[in-house]
Amino acid sequence: MQLRCRLQPLLLLLLLCWLVLCRAQLGDLRGDPEDLGRPPQCNPVDITVPMCKGLNYSSTSDHLALGTQNDVATLLHQFSELIKARCAPFLRLFVCSMHLPFCNEQQHLLVRPCREFCFRIRGLCEPVMQTHGYGWPDRLACEPLPSSKSKHLCLVPKHDEFNAELDNLKQRKYPFGVHHVGMEDRPNRPLPPPPPPPPQQPPPKNRSGAESPSGARQCSAAEVRLGQEPNSSCAPRCHASLLFSAEDKQLASVWMTLWASLCLACTGMAVATFLLDSDRFKFPERPIVWVAVCYAVYSAAHLLRAFLGPDLACSSHRLDGRDRHLVSQYAGQWCAAVFLLLYSSWLAGLLWWLALTICWYLCAVKKWAHEALSAKSVWMHLAAWGLPLLLSVLLLVLHRIEADELTHLCVVDGSQPFNLVAFVIGPCAGALLLGLGFLTCGLCSSVTVRDSLKWSGNLGFRRLEKLMTKISLFSFLFVLPTLCVLSAAFYELAERPGWAASLRAVLAKPHCAEASGLRLDLGADCSPERRPSSALYMLKVFMSLAAGLPAGLVVWVNGKSLDAWRRCFCQVLLRRKSSFGGGRRGAGGSAGGVPYASVARQGGGVGGLPNQRTPSCGVSGIGSGGGCGSSRKGGRLTGSCSASSSQV
């Protein structure tokens, strides 16, 4: 019954987590619709882009991945010289269908170019582009397109028409060279550079300073446009390396998994020790156990992210699952689950440490006993578990979460300074200041009591010194890494605007960005001037997990905990030995003519120890005539295992 009462807060926490996950799953299906089993749906609208008028189709989708048709018209201007070159048949149809796919008016299905059509166009035009120093654009990638042999509809010209048009084009020349169409086997012919594009007027600027003809910032190749104008934004692609390199991400993943495993092992042992011998952990030190529980959940969330992989922090706003990007505000169900576990357990750990200092203050200054604090423990559980869950749900509902590029963990959205101040820096700094104040007052009062007991000759001052040392040492080892995490939050708050401005300046250069991230091989011109320190962020990961290590060590790395584990193993072994012996002798049997019942009752205790309380590990009655007992030797309580002659 006592164990069930202790587990009620944890069961309530799991129930609330399940409810939030159900809500997150519904929100994910509503905000990020992905159904790979069905063809992409669309609502047809007329094509208004001049370059793409007069094709074999005249309607496209009203929801385009690249924004509005005005945005597409701006992007298609980059391919105007390639289309004029006519390096392949049906080139204009291919380029337009990649940016403005055909929307079937009868079935409302989105029809894209076939993969075979794309590869044939690429085989004809890519050698020509390479002679001018250009590679095949990422926006025209062929791999994600459907095959003509699949069940999905796709666009492809007839084979005879394509070959006939190709024969006609082979007799013509490029407008800026002597390389003929279809002669991709002769890529080394020298070609003069293409003529420079005509000067353009600077487009208008929006409030954020980003430039675009329609007022929204133009997304680079390493980004994905989200939403519709005028509220559209650009999100980094799922695995794009912008502020951190790919090597930094791999190292951070290994580093995070290593320390999360160590933290989970240490705090898990502490929780198991508490369940084994919960009566030994009394107030004011019992909150240390709940700190260990919080950091066990916190480390488990890191391991869940490591198990599910970095795609956990990625999402897509398209029906076919393409253009996956890092989570920005709208999270999927697994991202929401990891965020819920991370934020609520981290904040609950802070509040339980604050509860420890308050209990210490009430014991030392107000002279509260264990029973008085235990009677108020319900309110401690309500505040320490309820407030973090409430804030976590509030952040999920308000869409104030994002994916961290280095670790791909779902965390509080730091792009807005208010979020960091209100939900990270404020609670952490407030809990630390209040906790240190209560701890200082409690220690000062305890020192006075210790001195009076010591001068009066009362040996109870040694126990008080031990308790003071334990709470002080644990608080120091907890506060130190928490201060490092708080310092990292201040560092991000101060430097993040500069990182964003430097990154925008680099992404504005078309040659510096590709789908995999920034092209750092091009030198300092494509490297942001201000970037976050990967070493500092990995130190933050370590310190956030290291705060849970002292809670685990204080609970189970001591003599009493080791004795409890030894007694538990002893009970299990004796129970198995007793059941094995009883099965061999049969029910009601005896060994050496001594009945089991008489042996068990000798001395009124266990193992012949009169009136001796038998410690247990949650199991009563280990078998007749044997068990784990304890005895007094020299005023010290020592554990012992005894067996009667009936068990030999």
Side-chain angles (χ1 to χ4, degrees):
M1 179 63 70
Q2 293 179 357
L3 181 60
R4 185 173 62 184
C5 294
R6 296 189 194 101
L7 293 179
Q8 282 181 354
L10 295 179
L11 295 176
L12 178 62
L13 174 63
L14 294 177
L15 177 60
L16 291 177
C17 292
W18 179 77
L19 292 175
V20 172
L21 288 180
C22 291
R23 183 262 167 202
Q25 184 175 9
L26 293 176
D28 179 52
L29 294 176
R30 183 169 58 250
D32 294 322
E34 295 185 20
D35 190 358
L36 301 180
R38 299 183 305 170
Q41 301 290 317
C42 64
N43 294 320
V45 295
D46 293 335
I47 295 178
T48 60
V49 179
M51 184 183 295
C52 297
K53 287 186 175 181
L55 297 175
N56 295 346
Y57 66 94
S58 59
S59 61
T60 186
S61 174
D62 62 340
H63 181 76
L64 301 172
L66 299 175
T68 64
Q69 293 197 36
N70 293 331
D71 296 332
V72 174
T74 304
L75 295 176
L76 287 177
H77 181 74
Q78 304 174 5
F79 300 98
S80 59
E81 293 296 328
L82 180 64
I83 294 177
K84 291 178 182 178
R86 303 190 66 185
C87 56
F90 300 98
L91 179 58
R92 188 167 69 97
L93 173 65
F94 168 71
V95 174
C96 289
S97 61
M98 289 290 289
H99 295 81
L100 298 171
F102 169 51
C103 183
N104 187 295
E105 297 181 358
Q106 288 75 26
Q107 301 176 347
H108 295 273
L109 298 179
L110 203 62
V111 182
R112 306 180 187 279
C114 293
R115 189 183 307 164
E116 293 80 3
F117 180 31
C118 177
F119 277 122
R120 196 159 189 191
I121 295 291
R122 179 175 179 175
L124 293 170
C125 294
E126 186 175 20
V128 181
M129 299 179 66
Q130 289 177 350
T131 58
H132 292 272
Y134 297 101
W136 188 252
D138 293 330
R139 295 194 189 97
L140 304 181
C142 303
E143 289 77 9
L145 296 176
S147 174
S148 59
K149 301 178 182 179
S150 64
K151 63 179 181 179
H152 296 292
L153 295 175
C154 61
L155 185 66
V156 60
K158 293 183 179 180
H159 185 71
D160 296 338
E161 294 181 2
F162 189 93
N163 290 336
E165 183 69 18
L166 180 60
D167 292 337
N168 293 332
L169 291 178
K170 284 183 178 180
Q171 307 303 323
R172 304 178 184 179
K173 298 181 179 179
Y174 287 105
F176 41 79
V178 297
H179 188 81
H180 290 275
V181 175
M183 299 180 66
E184 58 275 1
D185 55 335
R186 300 171 61 187
N188 295 324
R189 287 201 174 200
L191 292 177
Q200 299 180 357
Q201 297 295 329
K205 295 184 177 181
N206 57 10
R207 295 179 181 178
S208 61
E211 300 180 352
S212 173
S214 56
R217 183 169 75 89
Q218 183 176 346
C219 299
S220 65
E223 297 174 305
V224 176
R225 181 173 296 280
L226 303 179
Q228 297 290 336
E229 294 183 8
N231 299 320
S232 62
S233 60
C234 299
R237 293 188 181 272
C238 182
H239 298 287
S241 299
L242 299 178
L243 294 176
F244 300 97
S245 64
E247 293 76 10
D248 291 337
K249 294 180 182 180
Q250 294 176 359
L251 179 59
S253 179
V254 175
W255 179 263
M256 176 186 67
T257 305
L258 174 64
W259 287 108
S261 302
L262 182 60
C263 182
L264 181 60
C266 186
T267 53
M269 281 291 297
V271 175
T273 303
F274 172 72
L275 297 176
L276 184 68
D277 191 10
S278 57
D279 294 336
R280 184 168 60 87
F281 299 94
K282 299 183 181 297
F283 286 97
E285 54 184 331
R286 177 168 285 191
I288 299 179
V289 176
W290 298 113
V291 174
V293 171
C294 294
Y295 277 90
V297 176
Y298 187 73
S299 56
H302 285 78
L303 294 179
L304 179 62
R305 145 61 189 93
F307 176 76
L308 295 177
D311 287 340
L312 172 143
C314 300
S315 182
S316 175
H317 64 288
R318 300 188 51 170
L319 293 170
D320 57 357
R322 294 179 57 192
D323 294 336
R324 293 179 63 80
H325 56 85
L326 285 178
V327 166
S328 177
Q329 299 181 350
Y330 294 91
Q333 55 183 352
W334 285 112
C335 181
V338 170
F339 169 77
L340 180 69
L341 294 175
L342 283 175
Y343 184 76
S344 60
S345 60
W346 172 75
L347 187 55
L350 274 173
L351 293 181
W352 274 116
W353 175 78
L354 177 60
L356 170 68
T357 60
I358 294 176
C359 292
W360 175 242
Y361 171 81
L362 293 175
C363 284
V365 179
K366 302 298 182 181
K367 311 304 180 185
W368 283 35
H370 162 74
E371 290 76 11
L373 291 173
S374 181
K376 304 294 183 181
S377 62
V378 175
W379 300 104
M380 297 183 195
H381 283 279
L382 184 62
W385 299 117
L387 183 60
L389 278 175
L390 181 63
L391 291 180
S392 301
V393 173
L394 180 63
L395 288 170
L396 285 173
V397 172
L398 297 179
H399 306 294
R400 301 290 180 87
I401 63 177
E402 67 173 356
D404 180 57
E405 182 186 343
L406 180 63
T407 59
H408 277 223
L409 290 170
C410 294
V411 296
V412 177
D413 183 11
S415 60
Q416 302 178 19
F418 173 79
N419 296 336
L420 279 178
V421 174
F423 298 103
V424 178
I425 296 177
C428 184
L432 288 178
L433 289 176
L434 288 175
L436 290 175
F438 284 117
L439 182 67
T440 302
C441 293
L443 287 176
C444 292
S445 178
S446 299
V447 169
T448 304
V449 173
R450 193 265 327 251
D451 292 340
S452 62
L453 291 176
K454 187 175 182 180
W455 288 109
S456 63
N458 193 332
L459 297 180
F461 78 93
R462 298 188 181 276
R463 182 180 178 184
L464 180 60
E465 284 182 344
K466 185 178 180 180
L467 183 60
M468 291 169 54
T469 303
K470 178 188 294 187
I471 293 180
S472 301
L473 181 61
F474 168 73
S475 297
F476 173 76
L477 295 178
F478 180 85
V479 169
L480 182 61
T482 305
L483 283 176
C484 294
V485 174
L486 182 61
S487 302
F490 275 111
Y491 168 71
E492 182 178 358
L493 179 66
E495 297 293 332
R496 183 152 183 169
W499 302 338
S502 300
L503 183 61
R504 283 196 301 266
V506 174
L507 292 177
K509 305 173 184 179
H511 65 282
C512 288
E514 56 185 5
S516 60
L518 298 180
R519 300 189 60 183
L520 300 178
D521 57 316
L522 298 180
D525 185 52
C526 292
S527 178
E529 294 182 0
R530 301 176 63 181
R531 302 177 65 181
S533 171
S534 59
L536 184 59
Y537 267 79
M538 284 191 279
L539 178 63
K540 174 187 175 182
V541 171
F542 164 69
M543 287 298 179
S544 65
L545 292 167
L549 295 178
L553 295 176
V554 166
V555 171
W556 67 274
V557 181
N558 57 70
K560 293 182 180 180
S561 298
L562 296 179
D563 286 343
W565 279 104
R566 184 177 59 82
R567 291 195 299 268
C568 182
F569 290 143
C570 183
Q571 288 180 6
V572 173
L573 292 176
L574 289 177
R575 163 176 281 228
R576 294 183 62 183
K577 185 176 180 181
S578 177
S579 61
F580 175 75
R584 183 174 59 182
R585 288 184 291 264
S590 60
V594 182
Y596 287 101
S598 63
V599 176
R601 295 191 181 93
Q602 284 181 354
V606 179
L609 297 177
N611 300 324
Q612 184 65 42
R613 179 179 177 272
T614 306
S616 64
C617 10
V619 182
S620 60
I622 23 179
S624 301
C628 293
S630 58
S631 60
R632 295 278 180 178
K633 291 185 179 181
R636 184 170 61 90
L637 185 64
T638 59
S640 63
C641 293
S642 62
S644 63
S645 59
S646 62
Q647 293 178 299
V648 180

